[in-house]
Each structure stands twice: as structure tokens, then as C-alpha cells.
Amino acid sequence: MSENQNLLAEQRRALILDEVRRRGGVRVNELTRKLGVSDMTVRRDLDALARQGMLEKVHGGAVPVVEASTHEPGFEAKSGLELTAKEDIARAAARLVTPGTAIALSGGTTTYALAQHLLEVPDLTVVTNSVRVADVFHAAQRTSGQRQGAATVVLTGGVRTPSDSLVGPVADQAIAALHFDLLFLGVHGISLEAGLSTPNLAEAETNRRLVHSARRVVVVADHTKWGTVGLSSFAALEQVDTLVTDAGLPAEARAEVSEHLARLIVAGEPETDEDI
């Protein structure tokens, strides 16, 4: 983290949270020095993050919250995290989409960011089990009218989860009858041992159906998802064709991912021949 007195509160708190997760804990005096702000400002930021359940305050600093594998944050709680990384990932992932293809977007805040970058790609058919993703395309149509080349959106139906995904038998049956060229999958966690995982059992089954119906699978996940394991695994790393992530992913993790996936795209960095 570089010193910057002009950081917005949201940016400061994202940096603090990243530092807590990366190091396993931070002290107030370290944060004041790195952020270039007052002790009182840092303590207010820690109070705000603690109220949101993002970290735990301890004497003189903060440590990560130890979450149960069944804990599922809501969409709003997740939407304020890693904003820059999600935007970079969405921009890089959008470049994988060609006009006229059938794609699927799962639920999640990163796929939500991606949807906004796909509005100008013509003649897409978009299958999604995300209410938020569908709203992006429907809002664009309400604003600009039914323009030529606008995406055709198929919303699966189903039972709504805290992350605003639609899951359960209705969603599963709808997805099972479809086939798409490219699936963009947001995940709760990704690891070598557990593969892709989620804390929601019904969502895990729906994600399995999405993976099965896709010709190619692209996971869009920022670096904080690496090493996180939810209650239910729904795909092995070998079932993923491409991971699009951000520059925060450590070198060791990049090497491990590259052994199991055909392609690793780090947003903002050029691809090497080995990545392609």
C-alpha cells in the first residue's frame, strides 16, 4: 500500500482489508504510516469494517474474521470489496467474448461487473441465474430502447440466494436443457484441493449444471478467493479452461494454477506464451 492522504474512505477500507487478509493482521500504527492518515481515521475505518463483519478488531489493530465454510455474504456486502480488481478482471474477461455467441454468466459481483462491459457486444444470447446480471441488460434496454444487436437474455428462474442467484430444481432444469459457448463463473472460493466451492449447497448443484452445459469455462475471481474453501465443491480445477484474476495473486499461486489450467489471464499484465 502506498501513502496517499487523498484516498477515499472506500478505497482506504479496501486497502486495509486486503492488508489484513494478506498478512493475517495489522496494527493501527502501521496503517497510519502506510496510508498517511491519522490514528483516528484508521480507527474509524476499522470500526466500519468490523460492523460489516469484514474483520475483527483487537487491541491495537485488527485480524481477519474466521468464517465458517457455510457463511454466505450477501450481494451488497461483497459488492464493496476489491472494486478495482473486479473492474480490471471484467474488462479482461469481456475481451474473450465474440459477437453472436451464446454465453452464460453465473451469479456474483464480478460477473455483475462483467455484464456491464458486455452491453456493447452485439447479438449475444446471455443465459444467467443472476437477478443482478439480468437487470444490467434489461436496464440498458429500458434506457436505449430495443436497439439492433441488443442481447437476448434468458433468466433461469429458481429460488433466490443471499447473493441474488437463482438456484434449485427450476434453475437446474432450465440450464440442463441449454448449451452455451462460454460460461463465466464467479466463485466463493478456489483452491487446489477443493477446486471451485460455495457455501450454498443448492448453488453448488446449479453451478455444476452450468459447468456441464458449457463448451468452455472461464472463472472470474480476484486474488482473495484463492485458498478459500466453501462447504460444497462443484468443479475441479481441471474442468476450468481459463482463470481471469488480478495482479494480487501471488507468484506461487500462479505457478500452481498454471499446472492445472490451460490458460491464466492476469488482468493488466501481458500474457506469456505459456498462458495461451
Side-chain angles (χ1 to χ4, degrees), residues 6 8 21 40 53 56 62 93 107-108 111 116 130 149 154 160 173 205 230 232 264 275:
N6 297 319
L8 298 174
R21 287 171 169 169
M40 185 175 297
E56 182 179 347
T111 51
Q116 297 173 68
S130 167
V154 179
R160 200 164 182 163
Q173 186 173 358
E205 181 57 33
S232 180
L264 170 66
D275 294 329

Side-chain angles (χ1 to χ4, degrees), residues 92-104 114 117-118 120-126 149 151 181-182 184 215-216 218 263:
R95 289 196 284 268
L96 301 176
V97 179
T98 55
T101 52
I103 66 171
L114 171 58
H117 284 273
L118 296 177
E120 299 305 318
V121 181
D123 301 319
L124 292 179
T125 298
V126 179
D181 302 302
L182 199 57
F184 291 97
R215 189 164 60 86
R216 287 195 296 145
V218 178
R263 188 176 185 186

Side-chain angles (χ1 to χ4, degrees), residues 221-236:
D222 67 74
H223 69 280
T224 64
K225 304 297 180 68
W226 181 256
T228 298
V229 178
L231 176 65
S232 180
S233 295
F234 57 86

Side-chain angles (χ1 to χ4, degrees), residues 110-233:
T110 308
T111 51
Y112 173 76
L114 171 58
Q116 297 173 68
H117 284 273
L118 296 177
L119 292 174
E120 299 305 318
V121 181
D123 301 319
L124 292 179
T125 298
V126 179
V127 177
T128 185
N129 68 321
S130 167
V131 175
R132 301 281 185 150
V133 166
D135 280 347
V136 169
F137 291 98
H138 292 153
Q141 290 179 9
R142 286 194 299 268
T143 302
S144 59
Q146 189 62 45
R147 58 183 175 81
Q148 186 175 4
T152 299
V153 180
V154 179
L155 184 62
T156 63
V159 178
R160 200 164 182 163
T161 71
S163 58
D164 284 345
S165 299
L166 299 176
V167 301
V170 172
D172 298 345
Q173 186 173 358
I175 293 165
L178 300 172
H179 304 279
F180 22 85
D181 302 302
L182 199 57
L183 165 64
F184 291 97
L185 195 58
V187 297
H188 173 81
I190 178 171
S191 72
L192 288 180
E193 298 79 12
L196 313 181
S197 61
T198 173
N200 188 302
L201 290 172
E203 187 165 25
E205 181 57 33
T206 299
N207 284 343
R208 287 190 195 101
R209 300 297 181 99
L210 285 167
V211 170
H212 181 74
S213 294
R215 189 164 60 86
R216 287 195 296 145
V217 177
V218 178
V219 171
V220 287
D222 67 74
H223 69 280
T224 64
K225 304 297 180 68
W226 181 256
T228 298
V229 178
L231 176 65
S232 180
S233 295

Side-chain angles (χ1 to χ4, degrees), residues 44-92:
R44 281 200 300 266
D45 288 340
L46 294 180
D47 285 338
L49 290 167
R51 283 196 299 272
Q52 295 174 46
M54 301 300 180
L55 52 73
E56 182 179 347
K57 287 185 67 181
V58 295
H59 180 69
V63 296
V65 172
V66 179
E67 294 182 345
S69 62
T70 55
H71 175 67
E72 181 178 9
F75 185 93
E76 298 300 339
K78 293 187 290 186
S79 62
L81 303 177
E82 305 297 333
L83 293 176
T84 300
K86 289 174 183 175
E87 184 65 18
D88 291 344
I89 291 167
R91 190 179 299 110

Side-chain angles (χ1 to χ4, degrees), residues 244-271:
V244 185
T245 189
D246 66 287
L249 189 69
E252 182 181 351
R254 297 187 193 195
E256 292 175 336
V257 168
S258 297
E259 290 180 4
H260 293 267
L261 272 63
R263 188 176 185 186
L264 170 66
I265 298 175
V266 180
E269 296 182 4
E271 287 189 73

